[in-house]
Amino acid sequence: MKVKRLFFILFFLSLFTVHCSLFTVSAWAIFEERPSSARAWGMGGAFTAVADDSSAIYFNPAGLGQLKMIELSGSYTMLYGEKDLEYKLGNLALPMGRLGTIGLATTNYGHRKLREDAYIFSYGRKFTFEKQDIYLGGNAKYLRLEIETVGKEFDYGGDLGLLYKLLDGKLSLGLFGGNVNTPHIGDDLPQRYAGGIAYRPDPDLILAVDYHYEKQEKEEDDEFRLGLEYHWLKYLFLRSGVANNPGRWMVGWGLRNRFLSFDYAYLPHHNLDETHLGTLTFRFGGPKKRKEEKPPIVEIEEVPVEEVPVKEVPVEEVPVKEVPVEKPEEIEKPEVVPVPEEKVVPISSITEASIGQKVTLKGKIMSVRIFKKEKGRTLELNDGTGSIDVLIWKELYESLLYRQSLVQGMPIQVSGRVASYKDKFEIKLKKPSDIQILETELVPIGKITEASIGQRVTIKGKIISVRVFKEEKGRTLKIDDGTGSINVVIWKDLYESIPERESLVQGTSIQVSGQIGSYANELEIRPKDLSDIQIIEIEEEVSIPEEEVEVPVKPERVVEKININTASRTQLETLPGIGPVKALAIIAHRPYERIEDLRSVPGIGAKRYEVLKDLITIEPEKVEEPEEEPPGTEILILPPEETP
């Protein structure tokens, strides 16, 4: 990721070389666009589709709807270092939750002989149409020009803005129209139109492109702008941008934390002195975290207990008559009232008002990102109504036994508090119980295609072949469910951890979960841990019906019965008709409360049960020692008969 970021930075820096042949001299006209925000102009003025702070008033008022905290900002510059060309700005943004955001701004430019003042009322709000976020906004402006030798004149202007977000906020499109009503002060003021695209390949990088078109009476002009912002260190941001009319390049930096930021932009000129622009911003307010109320501690006053003398009474012995004890009736257990589960809310219902509240969400993992030098994971969760990031810090992530299953396509349920980071909602988890893996729906193998690669699925079918691969480093099972077949790759470490691995043979029905991959143009499923593989049914070892199997056995020859609850596989294989597969099946169905429960094991039919029932037990049986023979009696030891 660092290499990719460096590539983007070098790419944009290489664009700066074009300014050498494009520079032209520009002169500021009445109420023309001037540098108004150090952050925006550090990005070359390509801010139409970004517009995520209070300076959105000047670039695209629709962007005010993105703000979640109150912002108070001030900017100052002297154009080309000239004292008479002072430009001062102040702006305030007041978010009101679902009602949108109100913005107020004032600008002052010039000196005592020529002075421009503007007072702006702005408004922006988010609207959701078919699960897509659209922001609309506008400005109402009071414009006043004062010339010492001529007098004063004023008029009113209006601006409109639109912002549309795609790909869960990674891509945004912006449109802006300035002075759409063509205000008139001496002459008609220029109408300005802009369109922009901003892309965030990751949370620390913004790439922006703008096209600006200006029209004043019969004159027309246009301009392209490119800009980037890179979050380099914890509080440090680097910016750069270029524009072609007039040709110029701009750089800037910023220091920012949650409540305070300072931004600086450097705007050079090939004929005049450079322009330095600084912006100071304060942020405050926002939803407060709820404090958990502790129950009041009630002090219990100790009351002295009077001792009561106890008189001893002699107890007469009463003859006890033995009465047969009947089996006590089972006492009804008190009904356990289940604790109500937290209500699952749709992701689309989460707003700024939800910040600090604890919510429960359910959905599928769309992507997994490692953040902050492998200090944790960010899961992108989607429930069909929207997406949100789920934050899992390293300590919590490593405590999850099933963390390897947290991959794309896995359905999960999470509970945590809503927070906001870089104007994006996220859920913060605190303990392992805050995240649960949900049961997955079975996917027909026939529906798995190359488009499914990378997703996690669960299939169920019968093993039709088993192959050993790569010097016995694993197994490849071919699974068929009637709709198609697919390979399941089990590496050696996982294979050897499966207790019933000897049952993974042709004919066994299993359920497998894992990520879909491709090898040698064949699709395959790759389970990661023991819980991803479940043996459903083991095919009988012999193909003839159980009713036809008759094994002559003399039960009286068995001195000790086999305990089917504790016996090893080797001990179970000493029973007639029980091979390795059936022995594993008996172990898999433990514990047994009655001997008759053995009939629930696949492959144990009625005939075979009749043969086994006298040879097995569920409790250890004591072996009686032979009685001593009277002296002088010879004991004849006969060889045991062979039992087939």
Side-chain angles (χ1 to χ4, degrees), residues 478-503:
K478 177 77 82 173
I479 309 297
D480 189 288
D481 68 349
T483 68
S485 61
I486 194 170
N487 289 332
V488 174
V489 177
I490 307 176
W491 290 95
K492 184 179 180 180
D493 292 342
L494 175 58
Y495 179 77
E496 291 182 349
S497 69
I498 303 173
E500 305 89 358
R501 57 182 176 275
E502 294 184 11
S503 300

Side-chain angles (χ1 to χ4, degrees), residues 603-619:
I604 305 296
K607 277 283 185 182
R608 187 159 303 187
Y609 171 74
E610 291 297 324
V611 172
L612 297 174
K613 69 178 183 178
D614 296 325
L615 308 177
I616 60 175
T617 182
I618 58 174
E619 296 292 339

Side-chain angles (χ1 to χ4, degrees), residues 443-449 459 481-486:
V443 176
I445 296 176
K447 290 188 176 181
I448 299 176
T449 63
I459 63 167
D481 68 349
T483 68
S485 61
I486 194 170

